Amino acid sequence: MNLKSIIAKYSDPDKAREFFEAQRWPDGTVCPHCGLIGESYRLKAKEGSKSPVRPGVWKCKGCRKQFTVTKGTIFEDSHIPLTTWLMTIHLVCSSKKGISAHQIHRMLGITYKSAWFMVHRLRYAATQDPLAAQLEGIIEVDESYVGGRRRLAKRVAHATKPGERPKDHPSPVDNKQAVLAIVQRNGDVRSQHVQRVTAKTIRPILDAQIDPKATIMTDSGTVLHGAIHPRVHHQVNHRENEFGRYENGLCITTNSVEGFFSLLKRGINGTFHHVSKQHLHRYLSEFDFRYNHRKITDGERSCKLIGKVAGKRLMYKDLIPERPISQA
Ligand SMILES: [Zn+2]
């Protein structure tokens, strides 16, 4: 699947809907009202009847209720044609560093507000299953700070000697948001926005996400040590310019989690420019999703995301930011 084939095959609204039906219901329709599988039929206008039937409507033989493929999904109540949704899904899934709502607004000729709402709904669909199994094996954990702008008082900046920070100097992480990322080597990432990075706040997250028998690796300058103790824990000493070493055949490094952060930061700084604190968790879902499906093609990744649209609703009122929408 690519943009060209989407336009060629699915410009017709019926074709686009049939594609979503095939993706969502590979084993036959599932009635969103009663859960009955494969027992629905397409509603057609009765012979001689003048009242038209809305295209794409199915009727369940069990509960006799009607539904369409968008019922109970992020597409419900959306006025955006399914073809446009399909193109947006593909753009989001194939852009390594993400794609901004502004870009989609310009490329697809929809309003900025629609594009903004669509990408947020897709991020929401990409959210990890809360019951996902714990990560196991070799786990790399790191924290990083994203967004915000570092404001330096000129007076203070001049007074600073290299490697020294005056007491009234703003910390480099002021107005930035802390993100904790846990990566299973050669496996999945789970990242999340955390208010404060302390052993006390991080420990419950690690306990929930990481198998107790896992081997954890972090860098040495980390406050995570207290949160990890007494688990098996190796540290790589970045301050000594060490980026990896072998101990008994085990490669001790945090390259995987740093690779994830570098993609995330390039996305947040280069693509989105500004990500507000209240929406950060949804951007993280988007980056986690792409990372966790990095080994498949863009088309396959798009189909994976389509598979996650059900059972999720996100209303505009739940999304309206505290401040007017900035160019994100
Ligand atoms: Zn039913």
Side-chain angles (χ1 to χ4, degrees):
M1 196 200 316
N2 55 42
L3 275 187
K4 196 178 160 193
S5 71
I6 291 172
I7 294 163
K9 281 192 200 160
Y10 307 116
S11 288
D12 177 51
D14 291 330
K15 290 277 187 301
R17 195 183 332 99
E18 281 161 20
F19 176 75
F20 277 108
E21 288 174 350
Q23 291 298 318
R24 216 190 140 187
W25 300 319
D27 307 313
T29 53
V30 182
C31 170
H33 304 288
C34 69
L36 200 61
I37 298 168
E39 294 288 334
S40 305
Y41 55 92
R42 277 188 197 282
L43 215 56
K44 291 195 183 101
K46 287 199 186 99
E47 245 174 83
S49 159
K50 277 185 187 142
S51 57
V53 170
R54 200 156 54 95
V57 178
W58 294 77
K59 185 161 180 171
C60 172
K61 287 183 196 168
C63 67
R64 315 295 302 159
K65 285 182 183 157
Q66 299 178 2
F67 59 90
T68 66
V69 70
T70 59
K71 175 84 186 160
T73 71
I74 58 160
F75 309 130
E76 196 174 350
D77 305 324
S78 160
H79 301 297
I80 303 293
L82 284 177
T83 312
T84 309
W85 270 110
L86 202 48
M87 290 195 276
T88 306
I89 289 171
H90 189 71
L91 288 170
V92 167
C93 287
S94 56
S95 310
K96 278 204 161 48
K97 289 170 269 172
I99 182 164
S100 69
H102 259 282
Q103 184 80 15
I104 288 169
H105 148 66
R106 289 194 303 268
M107 287 174 83
L108 303 187
I110 52 177
T111 65
Y112 171 64
K113 189 175 163 179
S114 293
W116 184 85
F117 193 24
M118 286 170 86
V119 288
H120 269 300
R121 281 193 184 193
L122 290 174
R123 286 176 191 129
Y124 179 58
T127 312
Q128 201 125 33
D129 178 1
L131 299 177
Q134 286 183 316
L135 300 174
E136 50 190 27
I138 296 171
I139 307 290
E140 299 178 18
V141 182
D142 202 3
E143 90 274 14
S144 191
Y145 295 84
V146 300
R149 281 185 192 89
R150 187 173 170 182
R151 262 174 259 142
L152 290 178
K154 272 190 187 149
R155 179 181 54 80
V156 185
H158 278 297
T160 318
K161 283 185 203 153
E164 213 176 76
R165 188 189 300 155
K167 287 205 171 59
D168 59 345
H169 195 291
S171 143
V173 299
D174 273 357
N175 11 261
K176 287 185 180 274
Q177 303 302 319
V179 174
L180 180 79
I182 307 169
V183 177
Q184 176 174 320
R185 198 172 285 172
N186 297 318
D188 282 3
V189 64
R190 307 226 174 121
S191 68
Q192 70 182 79
H193 178 198
V194 285
Q195 290 301 327
R196 285 167 56 94
V197 180
T198 66
K200 203 177 158 190
T201 54
I202 300 303
R203 180 182 283 278
I205 300 171
L206 300 184
D207 286 346
Q209 302 285 3
I210 307 175
D211 181 81
K213 295 193 287 294
T215 300
I216 302 180
M217 298 186 187
T218 65
D219 72 37
S220 55
T222 178
V223 298
L224 300 172
H225 187 72
I228 293 168
H229 184 80
R231 288 167 178 260
V232 183
H233 180 202
H234 297 278
Q235 290 176 310
V236 53
N237 197 347
H238 285 175
R239 284 194 185 151
E240 304 280 315
N241 280 332
E242 178 196 62
F243 290 95
R245 66 174 185 276
Y246 278 92
E247 261 179 34
N248 305 321
L250 192 64
C251 184
I252 296 167
T253 176
T254 52
N255 283 348
S256 310
V257 69
E258 279 158 37
F260 172 77
F261 272 129
S262 111
L263 263 182
L264 177 71
K265 288 186 166 186
R266 276 186 280 157
I268 287 183
N269 299 330
T271 306
F272 300 111
H273 307 303
H274 174 76
V275 169
S276 87
K277 191 160 74 172
Q278 61 168 342
H279 296 310
L280 177 58
H281 66 284
R282 273 189 294 270
Y283 286 85
L284 296 178
S285 294
E286 177 190 332
F287 278 86
D288 282 9
F289 174 82
R290 267 195 304 267
Y291 186 90
N292 294 345
H293 297 91
R294 64 194 179 280
K295 293 171 185 168
I296 55 179
T297 66
D298 293 344
E300 288 165 337
R301 199 175 306 114
S302 304
C303 291
K304 288 274 181 208
L305 186 54
I306 293 169
K308 287 170 73 76
V309 300
K312 291 179 178 121
R313 300 286 304 282
L314 186 65
M315 308 309 284
Y316 197 75
K317 62 175 164 41
D318 302 324
L319 268 173
I320 296 169
E322 294 143 7
R323 290 174 288 170
I325 301 168
S326 66
Q327 299 199 350

